[in-house]
Each structure stands twice: as C-alpha cells, then as structure tokens.
Amino acid sequence: MEFSTDPTTLEWCERVQGFLDDHIRPAEKVLEEQYASAADPFDHEPPIKAELKEKARAAGLWNLFLPDEEFGAGLTNLQYAPLAEITGHSIDLAPETFNCSPPDAGNMELLAQYGTEAQQQEWLRPLLDGSIRSCFAMTEPDVASSDPNNLRTRIRRDGDDYVINGHKWWTTGICRPMTKLIIVMGLTDPDAPPGKQHSMVLVPRDAPGIEITRSLPVFGFPHHAYGGHGEVRFHDVRVPVENVLGVEGGGFAIAQARLGPGRIHHCMRLLGHAERAVELMCRRAHERATFGTPLAEQGVVQEWIADARMDIEQARLLVMKTAWLMDTMGNKGARVEISTIKVVVPRITARIVDRAIQVFGGAGVSNDLPLANYYVEARYLQIGDGPDEVHKRAVARRELRKYAG
Amino acid sequence: MEFSTDPTTLEWCERVQGFLDDHIRPAEKVLEEQYASAADPFDHEPPIKAELKEKARAAGLWNLFLPDEEFGAGLTNLQYAPLAEITGHSIDLAPETFNCSPPDAGNMELLAQYGTEAQQQEWLRPLLDGSIRSCFAMTEPDVASSDPNNLRTRIRRDGDDYVINGHKWWTTGICRPMTKLIIVMGLTDPDAPPGKQHSMVLVPRDAPGIEITRSLPVFGFPHHAYGGHGEVRFHDVRVPVENVLGVEGGGFAIAQARLGPGRIHHCMRLLGHAERAVELMCRRAHERATFGTPLAEQGVVQEWIADARMDIEQARLLVMKTAWLMDTMGNKGARVEISTIKVVVPRITARIVDRAIQVFGGAGVSNDLPLANYYVEARYLQIGDGPDEVHKRAVARRELRKYAG
Amino acid sequence: MEFSTDPTTLEWCERVQGFLDDHIRPAEKVLEEQYASAADPFDHEPPIKAELKEKARAAGLWNLFLPDEEFGAGLTNLQYAPLAEITGHSIDLAPETFNCSPPDAGNMELLAQYGTEAQQQEWLRPLLDGSIRSCFAMTEPDVASSDPNNLRTRIRRDGDDYVINGHKWWTTGICRPMTKLIIVMGLTDPDAPPGKQHSMVLVPRDAPGIEITRSLPVFGFPHHAYGGHGEVRFHDVRVPVENVLGVEGGGFAIAQARLGPGRIHHCMRLLGHAERAVELMCRRAHERATFGTPLAEQGVVQEWIADARMDIEQARLLVMKTAWLMDTMGNKGARVEISTIKVVVPRITARIVDRAIQVFGGAGVSNDLPLANYYVEARYLQIGDGPDEVHKRAVARRELRKYAG
Amino acid sequence: MEFSTDPTTLEWCERVQGFLDDHIRPAEKVLEEQYASAADPFDHEPPIKAELKEKARAAGLWNLFLPDEEFGAGLTNLQYAPLAEITGHSIDLAPETFNCSPPDAGNMELLAQYGTEAQQQEWLRPLLDGSIRSCFAMTEPDVASSDPNNLRTRIRRDGDDYVINGHKWWTTGICRPMTKLIIVMGLTDPDAPPGKQHSMVLVPRDAPGIEITRSLPVFGFPHHAYGGHGEVRFHDVRVPVENVLGVEGGGFAIAQARLGPGRIHHCMRLLGHAERAVELMCRRAHERATFGTPLAEQGVVQEWIADARMDIEQARLLVMKTAWLMDTMGNKGARVEISTIKVVVPRITARIVDRAIQVFGGAGVSNDLPLANYYVEARYLQIGDGPDEVHKRAVARRELRKYAG
C-alpha cells in the first residue's frame, strides 16, 4: 500500500498537466462555439476535438487508462489515478482528447478482455485509434436497472442470428456521428438461473431497426460533447451470433467486470472537479468582499474551504487504496471498496461544488464557470452506475456478515 | 394569527386548482413544443400563453397577487399564500397565466405604490392587462449586489434627462418580445449618504444604447419561458427625468419594499414545488420495487418522505406567520421573518426535490419530470434576492441585539 | 387555528415566568447542594422541593397541565404550551414545582380519565395534592418496547388477584421515597388479538416482590431529581383485580392515549431548553472574543444563532398547530402530528444546544451551565416514548396512503 | 507513504489485542466496582490498575507511544497508530495499563525532549516506571485558551524562585493521589513579543498554595479513572527557577510541540471507539427485530452501518498519512494535517457512536455499554486541544495562501 507517487507517474502527471494547460484549456471556448454554430449539435463532430486528439496522440498521451501493455499505456490503476484526476478539470474535452473517456474506455476494456480476434479487429482497433466511438446500452426505463437481472430487452436466437427487441435509455454517446458500435445487454435465456440469463452483443449503430427517439438532458444540460444520452428502441434488430461478447449468458459477469474500472475512473475525474472548485472558490474569496471584509477572511467561507480540503484528502486516499486493491487483488477483490468510493466521491464533490457556487453567486449557477456542470456530473453519479442506496447496501452487508451467527 | 383558511380563500383555491388541472397541466407539453419549434425561442411568444391568459382572465383569475383592491384581487398575503403555492406546481406556465409572475408582479406593485399617474397610465395599465411585460435591472456582475449600496451603474442627470451607463446581469425576462419596460436601479448621487445614493428609473426596452449581450442559463436551463436572464449594457441611455420612480435617491428604500412581497411569493411557489415533489415521490414509491420490495415499504424512502412532510409543515406555518405579519405590521415589520423564510424554504425545497430525484433515478435528472427544474429553482433562490448568508446574518443580528449591552 | 396568545394565557405566562425568576432560579443551587450532601441522593427528598411546591400552590400555579377543570387549571393544550415552555428553562425544578412533571402528569391524566372513584380517591387525590408521586413501568430490556404488543411482563389472573412477573427498566421516578404508585403495563391475555392482550394495573410501590435493582444513568447523569430511571423486577407481585386501570385488555389503548399529551409536553419543555440555549449562546457571543473579534461578529457563530432561531420558530408553530389539533380533534386526530413534533423538536433542540456548548467550550460540557443536561434530555427523547424511526415511519405511511392504489 | 502494516507492527498488534482481550476487558467491571465502593473515588487508586500495569510491563507492553528508543518502544507514529486504536476499545483502562495515557504520555515526551538531566531523574524516570502520574495546567476559565498567547496565569521571577498566581481548569488527572507533578503554563514576560511571553514550569502537586477547588464533570461523567478534570487556583506558589522546562519564554513553542502527538493519539484511540461502536451496532442489528424484521435487514440501519464504515476507512487513512508525515517531516511539517484529523475524527466518531446509541435505544444512553462514554469523549475533543473552529481556520488559511496575491 505505497501511496507516494512514483517518478514515472510524476512524469506522466507533468506531461498531462502541461498538455491540458497548453492545448485543452484554450480550446474550451472553441468547442463551445463550434457546438453553438452547428445546425444540429448532436449531428456534429466539432473539428477542435480531432485536432486535439491528433496532438495528444503525437505527444504519446493516448489510451492511458488501459492497464494492458499491448493496447494501452500499461499503467496500474494507482498510477492512472492522478492522470484521470487532471482530466477532470476540463470535463468536456480532456478525457476524450486522451482517448480515455467513458463509455469508450470501458468498452475498449471489455473488447480487449473478452473480444474475439475478429471483434478486436473490427471494433477495438478503430476505437484504440480514435477513429470511431461506441456506446453501451444497459439501463431501461421500465425496470430498476441497478440490478441487471431485471433487464427485459430480449435477445432471441433465430438460426445464426440474434434478434433484438427492447427499450433502452441513458445510452450515452449514441447521438453523435462518430459512434458506430452499440454494446447491448439483453435477455438471452429467461429460464436460466439468475446471473446467467443475460448476454452482451455487439450491434452496429446503423443496423436496421434501431430507433433513437431523443437525447435526455441532465438538469437542462444537453451534453452534446458526450454525444447525448439516447433513448433507443430496438425493433427486430438482427446481428449474427458471432457478435456475442464472451459467452452467451455471460452478460451479468461482464457487466460486473466493466463497472469496477468505470466507477473508479469517474471518481478520479470527480476529484479533479472538486480540486478545481476549491481553487476557484479560493481565488474568488480573495477578490470579492461583502460588508467590507474579503470573503477570504470570513468564517463561513473559511469553513467551506476547510471542509472541502478535509473531504478531498480523505476521499482521495480511499480512491488510492481502492486502486491499489484493484491492482493487487483484482476488480472483484476490490468490489466493496469500489462501492464505497462510488458513494463517497460524488457526495463530497457535489457538496464542495455547491459551496463554490454559493461563493460565486449568480456566476456560479451560469455557464461562465464549470461549476454548474461539475455539480450536475457529481449529482448524476449518485444515480448512474448504481444509485447510492445500492452501493451502501453492499457496504453494510459485508460489514454485517462479519458478525453474523 | 388565525391560520385556518377562510371560506373565501378556500373558494379561490378550488378555482385556481381547477383551472390548473383543466387548462394548465394539459398545456405544459404544448408550451414545450412551441418553444422547441421556434427559430429563436427567446424571440418568440408561444401562442399557448396568450390563450391561457385569456381564459384565466375570463374566469376572473387575474392579478391575484395585488393586495390593492383597485388594481388586483384585494387578497391579503395570508389569503394569497395557498393560491401562489398551487401555481408553484406548474412553474413555467401557471404564475404567468394568472398574471402573477415575477418580476412583473413586483414591478406592478412598485408602480401601483410609487408611480405617478402618467407612469401608471403608460406602464401599469398594460402590465395589469397582460399586454406587455417588464423586467428589473438590479444585479451587477462586478460588485456584491446583495448590498444595493455597492451598485455602480451610473444614472447621471443631464438637463431634463437622465443618462444611464452601466453593466447589469440576471435581468430576468428582458429577452422576450413582449417585454417593453426595464426598471433600472443605479447611482444618482455618489456623494449622498448610504441609502440615498441610488434611484430607480423607468426605461423603455427599445431605448437607444441598450445592448443585451446574452441570456444566462441556470445550470443547463435556458429559461425561455421566463424570457431568459439577460446580461445588459447601458451605453448613454437617455430618459426624461420624469421617469424616476418615486423620488430621486429613493431607490434603496423602494428596493427594500419590493423585495418583501417578491421573496414571500417565491417561497409560496417553492412550497408548491415541494408538495408536488412529495406526491411524485410517493406515487413512484408505490410503483417501483428494488430487491423484491416496493420502495414504499423501504425504510430509507420512508424516512425521506417523513422528513419532507415534517419540513414542509413547519416551513408553511412560518410562511403563513410571515404573511400575517406583513398583513398586520407591514413589510418592514416582517423584515426579519421574510429573511427567515427566504433561507428556510429554498433549503428544504432543494433537499426534498433532490430526494425525489433520487427515487426516480435517471428520470429524475431528465426533463420528463419537473424535478430537475424545481431543484434549480430552489437552488437559485439560495442566491437570488440576497444569498442565504446575508439573510442569516440579519436574523442573527436581531437575535444578538436582544442581549447586547 | 388562532395562534396568537390570548389575554388569559398571557397573564398565566407572566405569573409562571415571575415565579420562575423569583423563586425557582435562586433555588437551583440549593437543590444541587441538598442532593450533594445526602448520604444516598436517591433515598432523599430535598426540602427545597417541598418549600417551592407550597409556594407555587399558594400562588395558584398548580396542576396547570390538566385540561380537566375539576382537577386542574382547565387550560387547553394551546394555552398550556407557553407555560410548559417556560418550565423547560429550569428542568430539574420547575415542572415538579408546579406539579406538572412527568411521569406524574401523565399518570394523573390516566387516573382522571380511566380511574374508578376508589382509585381516584386513593391515588389521584394525593397526586393532585403533591403528597405522593408515581411512576410508569412500561419499557422492557428484552424486547423492542416501541411496539407495546411486544411487552412480556406477565399479569396473570389468580382468583381475585393479579400476579405480576416480569422485568422492566427506565421506570422513571421509582427510586425516590415519595413515589408510592407504579402503573404497570403487562400481558393479561396472550391469546387475545393484538391490541387487546395487555392491561395496566395499579401497584403500590411497597408491594412484596418488587425488586429495584438499580437506577440507570443517562450519559453520566444519575438524574436524582427525577427519582432515577429504575430497573425493576416483579416476582409474584400480587394486587387485587380491582386495581386494573380501565378494562382488562385495554392497556394498549390507554398507552396510546397517554402518550399524546406526554409527548407534546416534552416538546414544549424542550423548546424552553432551546430558547434558553440561544440566550446563553448570544450572551456569551457578546462577552468572548477570539483572534481579536467578538464571537458575536463572527460569521460561523452568527450562522449558528440564525439557524437556531429559524429552527425554533418553525418547530414552535408546529407544536402549536398540534396542540390546536388535540384541542379540536382529540389526541387521536392529532396522532401523526404528535409523531412529527416528537421527531422534530428533540432533533433541533439537540443541535441548538450542541452549538451553544461549542460556543462555551469547556464550560459547555461541564455542569456550570444547564447545556449538557439539556443536550442529554433532547438526545434521550430521540429514543424515549418511541424512537424517531418509529415516528417517522408513521408519518411516511400516512403520506403514502394518500397515493395508494 | 507505505501504509501496509509491517510485520513488526502486526506482531505488536496481536500482543496488544491479546492482552486487551485476556486481561483488560475482564477487569472493566472490577474497576467500576472498586471506584463505586471507594469513600471518595477521587482520593482512590483502584488496585486493579496497578495489577494490570504490572502484568503489561512484564509482557513488554509498556511506554509504546514513545518514539525515543532509549525511553520507549522506539515505534514510529505510523507503527504506533494501530496499537493506540486498540487501546481505544477500553478507554478507562487500556491506555493507562500500557502507560500510554494522556496527559502523562505527552508530559513524558516533553520531559524526554526538553528536560534537564535532573528534571528527567526526578520526574521522567518515575513517570516511565508508572510509579507516579502527572498533569498539565494550561486552560483558563477566563480567556479563550485556544490561543495560548491569551493565558494570564502569572509566573513571576523572585530571586531564584518563580512565584505562580493564577486560575486554571480542565487540569485532567490532578485529582488522583498518584499525581505528583503539574506542568504549569504561565506568563513570565508580558512585555516580550507574542510567542515568547509564556513559560512552562514543573510544580510539585503538594507545593504550598495549590488549591484544587473541584473536578469538572463531562456530560455528567465524573471521570474518576482519569483523575478528574480539576479546577485549580495557584496562590503564591513558589518553585526554584531550575524548574523551568526548556528555556524561559519557550512555553508557546513547547506547547505547539506537545499538541501534535497528543492530538494524533486522541484520534487513534477515537478510531478504536468508532470501530467498537460499529461492532456493537452490527451485533445488535442481528439480534433485535422491530415490526417483524431484523434491524440488520432494515435500510436505515444498513445506511448507518455503511456510512460508519465509509467514514472510518477515510479517516483512518488520513490519520495514517498524518502519522507518516510526522515521521518524515516532523511534527511541525504535519501541523495542518494534524488540525485536519483533529476535526475529522471526533466528528465522525461522535456521529457513528450516536447512531449506535440509537440502535440500542435505552441501553445505548446508559452505562451498560461504552457508547455514551465514547460519545462524550468524541464530543469533548471537538473542544479540547483547540476547538474545531480554530483548526478549520488553520486548514482554510493554508489553502487560501496557495492562491493569494
């Protein structure tokens, strides 16, 4: 459990931070303008994204998230943590610039781990190259999707094909042109025991029968840069049986495997939001005075800043411990710790950002600062990838088992 | 301090609720579509609004907020409270339909109280008729505007004119075509003692030199239905000196007078948000099950519902007491109580709505339900019309004075 | 729902407050010394108590709590509320001085309502006179006593007698010499339907077979002035069947009836604690400075004071509404509101007192101030008379029923 | 920053835990009885304490806290942390049994670091042997003692003597017979610059002129086992000038040095309270049912358990990081981190213990369980050794400095 940052990671940090400062920050306004001037922002890939990705790739800052040395940078989770945190400062641009953004990162991990060679050739290679993007169709509006056993989208075998019928939403990324692949989780065998009923299949986004009805906003934000959060209906969508990911009936197990890294990456980036919020709050506290006293000298603001620092320090250590556990015990061995940070980090980030907003007043709730966006991100993650209540239940049950009977 | 609803008010409540159920609720989707299909939603007045207003006026549900019997319905604040609460259920439509929406309601009160007959003829009459709308330019980006003494927009006398130069933002409503009047608060005499330096002047929205640079979103919501939250620059804008509202130097006093009713109306409507959130949360709790148990039977959800009910009951009683104080002691006599509800009601509403969102999961943060919108409204009101910290300070100082010396 | 204090009540308030200031406050130290110098403080009745009671009775300030005009002052719950609040300032002395202290007040109400004439002659008269005291043996260590159906103490009929065997604790008041009566709740018919299995019987405290094993402290407080919180075992304790209170099997219903007034009286007194804590906190804030600034001018302390005032105002209005409901709809009609205040008032009192303690530092946690005592009282009442979780469940279930099916 | 427990420490842990289970736990009741049967518990040294200490010393479990290899066990702060946490399970006995209890531990550190050889011979040796005990007279009732510059107790030079006059309280340990030494902090030179005005002197507890007026309880607890919290007056108490600790004017610097380890040791022990509270809460949750469902399966209780585990994990990592900083950067280098844990750990411990109390109901607030005692310990430490507000201010100011100018 060595938590000091090693020299390799320190060097990576400097490079990522440098790239962020030099190239990404100045591009944020450009991105905004390119979306604003698009006829349909969802049907648009802003050129600035491609330019930045090219630069990042040339600088060797590419696919950092993948522990696999063949496909990625070969960093451990513990090494990747501070890098992901830095990308959290510029949420709409930085993760994608380094080809480390959800849901693609998670999808690439799945394809690297479970994909056949043909699947890797067809989908993983272009994803690693950044030439296409992908999405993950899991959540359904009609059932409590936090338990994947409830999912009802039907994937029925018909000869050498699967035929897919169902209704999904919160399929993030599906609404942008570059997205070519949908990983669909659905019910292949309703009679199998729980945990074996579902499978994942690879579905080309342009397959006949796919109807994207709309993109869901989050607290008013359309999330163009994410490619939206699509609501999708599958009407007799047909793919060959070779498109199953891993084995038939293996969907539940793969979903579990996928969520571990996905969740910790979210937490790492949220810490970046929180740090940036503290910085903004402190700078504002120095500049603005009320009733004749700078905010920086007012007890209530000092208390918010102190609470923020205390919360971040603790949460980051727990994220690091979880990363270390994943590195040494595997994702499964760190399952409950992942649940823990999944609850803790969004909670403290939302609180810290909320107070930073308060320090800024009207500017805080507008889009002049990234704060409202950060808040929504943190709030959403108290629901996405399993709501807090489900994760707390997992933590409590492990604790209770220690003292059972 | 008689808090039971009197028969007159009960009858009003039934009529307002009936109108809401019969006409406004069904129109919510229509409004959304009319904005969605507009080329520029800010430069657009959706026809459904005019239709509803006509119906409401025909039904005698018009200008309910105005205690003045000549201009309005002649209801006390205590009588108006439950009506305003009902309008809070449908935030984008109901208040305007009854011609009771901010900032017009507050502006009409000012004009009724301080306007000359000519001013009333020119501006108050059409506002009461609903044929034009208005806005209020107070907050400035460069100063802590919670203390109006800080405002820097300059209103300089030049012969028989005032010449206005300055920079405002959060001028709600300015971005819609029907808006014709801006009440501008600015500095007329920097050398006068604090509290006498500022004045309010009536400025036609089409006066030369007014530049609306943009509308500020709140979180991601553009707030088309409100006419946006404009950022405005005044470049040598010229109006005759007769356009002063009340007396020169009286701006501070008028601002204080205006904020009392404005704040309590916000609180009343927020209680409507909170009640509606509880209803939605309960209905969902009956319909949705996780881990084999309906949410309605799960302790955590029950705790959220109980907390919500306990918070609302208390807050509503305090709003009623404050309304009663305003009715009997005047707005000034209820000043600290107004500060109190201004802190309490947004706080509990935000918490209740946040939990309702959690019960709904993904649907909660989207626009399929009014919850995200309610949340943003409640959160914004912890900043708007004076941030919580300023109001808490006022409450504390009165308390401390009891034991001073 | 008229909440203004009527002239009669205002006059009572002045008299009770005057008596408290003139006689009770100065006696607090005396009481402490009389207990400190007793060989066994539990086996001791400090003379100051009798002196004060005599004075209070002579002043007509006696049995104020009893709505019954024959036995008590004939005040409504709403009228009694501010009087009870005043007695909350001096928790160890004031309630008993006016013969309004728990558990005697509740026991007298039961005897007045359910007692036979013989029972009233034997027990109610001396209790109303203040010549004896009583206790109430309900809670059992071995079962979740918040649901009275769980209680196991056996009251078995044997000829013309009841024979009692069982184990109780938190029998408040049993450890002092003046206590002569125990009202015991126990199981008379295990085969009856729930709600009809238990009965209450009147048991002389000196009946053979009663073993008081100890008094339980609360945090570190022995609570001598309350007559302790006894743990009691009943070994074949025998009383004639005429000693049943009301009817056999009626224990559950009587318990429900008893708890309403008992709970609201606790809440009223707690508001007195909270008000006194605010006063102390404010006075200290004026006197003490840190880092060169008086606490009264520091934002964090101001926030605590403002929060306290906002919490108290809301909670008191809810207590008044509940009292009014009890007066107009009966205790049963106010059942859920009673649950509500039972949760709200201890919660806010504990928080307010906790912050007052923080303002005082070391003095706050000591016995030099009543704050630690107040805190413990408020904390205990989150458990006593039904833990918060049970009451919140009741509130939630009523809310959910509105939207069921 | 290697946080895994090394083999040496693991072995120490097993030995300390074994001793606790085998010898200390069974002695807890004995201690209670020996105090209960003492004529004056403050003037009493229960024999069980000496017996345990003898055993612990024989087992080599002695003076573990002292990093100094000559005087103590030579463990780093990081190594000592888990040992101190174990002693937190049995707060009245374990720390003293291993001769690691406050305020003696801190006093021994001071004497080891600043004492002359003569002072070490006279006081440190017997303290290390456990044959005497000591106390630390710092806090004064009349000033905000969180800033030592405010302290007014006068230490005036008179020839070869110091003459001490002043008024102290919260002098923990002074009320027990074994206590022979008082370290007194007082003002030696009012004209020196701040930080140089105060000195510490060693004062025999039986010196003429020392008047111990009483022991202060904490939330009703007399704290006999700690030797009480004495209020002391010094009337012309005279000691030779050789009794100064370190240099004259060095009191402030020594006080700062003393507080670092003292504070982290408190935090380590509090984590032991918190862990024990979770264990108790879980065991109870398995045993007790309400409304037909075991508490262990109820969502609210699960949430409390999950929150507790999440809080402890984070806080412990932060304590470890702070210990590691102290080991590598010195106490001064870890100053702000020490402030951080000093706020965080008491806060989470109080919350966790409070919820454990709620799970137990009446038993929780009594003395049948250590919970009420733990709570009071945690609550007290939000005030003792500097109130939270002072520490949060330190954390905020460091944060703000990063962005100043």
Side-chain angles (χ1 to χ4, degrees), chain B residues 9-125:
Chain B
T9 309
L10 272 178
E11 201 208 308
W12 278 107
C13 283
E14 272 174 46
R15 288 168 62 198
V16 171
Q17 183 72 56
F19 193 95
L20 185 100
D21 294 339
D22 295 346
H23 303 293
I24 296 179
R25 283 274 166 83
E28 290 174 344
K29 279 276 163 225
V30 180
L31 181 79
E32 207 177 298
E33 288 157 17
Q34 293 185 348
Y35 274 122
S37 62
D40 174 357
F42 281 126
D43 196 24
H44 179 68
E45 294 289 350
I48 186 72
K49 282 193 175 184
E51 293 161 30
L52 282 172
K53 283 190 261 195
E54 199 172 338
K55 276 188 200 150
R57 199 165 180 184
L61 300 171
W62 194 254
N63 291 336
L64 304 169
F65 70 96
L66 255 186
D68 189 309
E69 280 202 52
E70 185 196 341
F71 296 123
L75 300 171
T76 64
N77 284 292
L78 195 54
Q79 290 175 312
Y80 179 55
L83 309 182
E85 184 176 325
I86 295 169
T87 69
H89 290 200
S90 185
I91 193 63
D92 280 350
L93 265 183
E96 183 173 342
T97 292
F98 304 122
N99 211 35
C100 297
S101 53
D104 299 290
N107 290 343
M108 288 187 257
E109 285 196 73
L110 289 196
L111 288 163
Q113 203 177 344
Y114 299 98
T116 62
E117 210 177 308
Q119 290 170 343
Q120 292 187 347
Q121 209 54 41
E122 183 173 4
W123 300 114
L124 179 56
R125 282 295 162 195

Side-chain angles (χ1 to χ4, degrees), chain A residues 214 288 354 365 368 379, chain B residues 143 214 219 354 368 379:
Chain A
R214 57 166 176 164
R288 186 62 67 118
D354 187 73
V365 299
D368 288 2
R379 181 63 189 87
Chain B
V143 298
R214 58 166 176 163
F219 286 72
D354 187 73
D368 288 2
R379 180 62 188 88

Side-chain angles (χ1 to χ4, degrees), chain D residues 149-388:
Chain D
N149 285 306
N150 293 336
L151 298 175
R152 291 195 202 145
T153 289
R154 193 69 173 87
I155 303 178
R156 198 173 36 77
R157 175 110 188 211
D158 180 39
D160 290 342
D161 284 348
Y162 287 120
V163 181
I164 308 169
N165 281 284
H167 184 190
K168 298 281 186 183
W169 69 352
W170 297 105
T171 304
T172 299
I174 201 171
C175 305
R176 57 189 283 190
M178 277 182 77
T179 297
K180 302 299 180 199
L181 168 67
I182 314 173
I183 301 183
V184 179
M185 170 93 160
L187 187 65
T188 36
D189 184 357
D191 302 325
K196 300 286 186 188
Q197 298 171 358
H198 295 80
S199 306
M200 288 192 194
V201 297
L202 308 179
V203 180
R205 194 235 197 188
D206 56 6
I210 293 176
E211 180 197 10
I212 302 168
T213 52
R214 57 166 176 162
S215 177
L216 291 148
V218 186
F219 279 83
F221 287 102
H223 279 178
H224 296 133
Y226 294 3
H229 306 284
E231 182 166 357
V232 202
R233 287 179 187 274
F234 296 84
H235 307 285
D236 286 329
V237 174
R238 198 168 272 271
V239 295
V241 290
E242 299 88 56
N243 279 26
V244 73
L245 187 65
V247 295
E248 206 180 287
F252 188 87
I254 301 179
Q256 293 303 312
R258 185 188 194 282
L259 285 170
R263 284 168 180 156
I264 198 170
H265 294 172
H266 273 308
C267 290
M268 292 163 176
R269 283 187 297 263
L270 286 187
L271 288 175
H273 299 3
E275 279 289 357
R276 180 94 172 103
V278 175
E279 179 186 339
L280 289 166
M281 177 158 47
C282 287
R283 293 195 187 281
R284 171 79 165 194
H286 282 303
E287 287 161 22
R288 185 63 65 119
T290 62
F291 303 108
T293 312
L295 295 178
E297 292 170 23
Q298 296 188 15
V300 172
V301 174
Q302 288 184 348
E303 185 160 280
W304 294 347
I305 291 169
D307 278 343
R309 173 51 56 217
M310 298 190 296
D311 282 346
I312 291 174
E313 288 306 302
Q314 290 183 87
R316 186 187 284 119
L317 286 167
L318 196 56
V319 169
M320 288 167 79
K321 181 180 172 183
T322 306
W324 172 84
L325 275 175
M326 291 169 75
D327 291 337
T328 54
M329 316 276 285
N331 297 353
K332 212 169 161 181
R335 198 178 59 83
V336 179
E337 278 73 15
I338 292 169
S339 279
T340 303
I341 57 171
K342 177 63 178 55
V343 172
V344 166
V345 179
R347 180 198 285 174
I348 65 144
T349 304
R351 183 168 54 211
I352 291 166
V353 172
D354 187 72
R355 285 169 168 180
I357 286 173
Q358 192 70 10
V359 171
F360 277 94
V365 298
S366 80
N367 286 359
D368 288 4
L369 293 162
L371 295 171
N373 202 356
Y374 288 167
Y375 179 82
V376 165
E377 202 73 21
R379 180 64 189 86
Y380 175 72
L381 280 168
Q382 294 170 33
I383 291 168
D385 286 2
D388 283 1

Side-chain angles (χ1 to χ4, degrees), chain C residues 131-202:
Chain C
S131 58
I132 66 164
R133 309 216 69 82
S134 62
C135 58
F136 188 70
M138 172 113 170
T139 307
E140 300 182 2
D142 302 328
V143 298
S145 308
S146 52
D147 180 356
N149 284 306
N150 293 336
L151 298 175
R152 291 195 201 145
T153 289
R154 193 68 174 87
I155 303 179
R156 197 174 34 80
R157 175 112 187 207
D158 180 38
D160 290 342
D161 283 349
Y162 287 119
V163 181
I164 308 169
N165 281 284
H167 185 190
K168 299 281 187 184
W169 70 352
W170 297 106
T171 304
T172 300
I174 201 171
C175 305
R176 57 190 283 190
M178 277 183 77
T179 297
K180 303 299 179 197
L181 169 66
I182 314 173
I183 302 182
V184 179
M185 170 94 161
L187 188 64
T188 36
D189 184 356
D191 302 325
K196 300 286 186 188
Q197 297 171 357
H198 294 80
S199 307
M200 287 190 195
V201 297
L202 308 180

Side-chain angles (χ1 to χ4, degrees), chain A residues 141 143-144 170 214 217-221 288 291 304 354 358 362-363 365-368 375 379 382-383 389 393, chain B residues 141 143-144 169-170 214 217-221 288 291 304 354 358 362 365-368 375 379 382-383 389 393:
Chain A
V143 299
W170 297 106
R214 57 166 176 164
V218 186
F219 279 85
F221 286 103
R288 186 62 67 118
F291 304 108
W304 294 346
D354 187 73
Q358 193 69 11
V365 299
S366 81
N367 286 0
D368 288 2
Y375 179 82
R379 181 63 189 87
Q382 293 169 34
I383 291 169
E389 289 63 41
R393 188 169 175 264
Chain B
V143 298
W169 71 351
W170 297 106
R214 58 166 176 163
V218 186
F219 286 72
F221 289 102
R288 185 62 65 120
F291 303 107
W304 292 347
D354 187 73
Q358 193 70 10
V365 299
S366 80
N367 284 0
D368 288 2
Y375 179 82
R379 180 62 188 88
Q382 293 169 34
I383 290 168
E389 288 65 39
R393 187 169 175 265

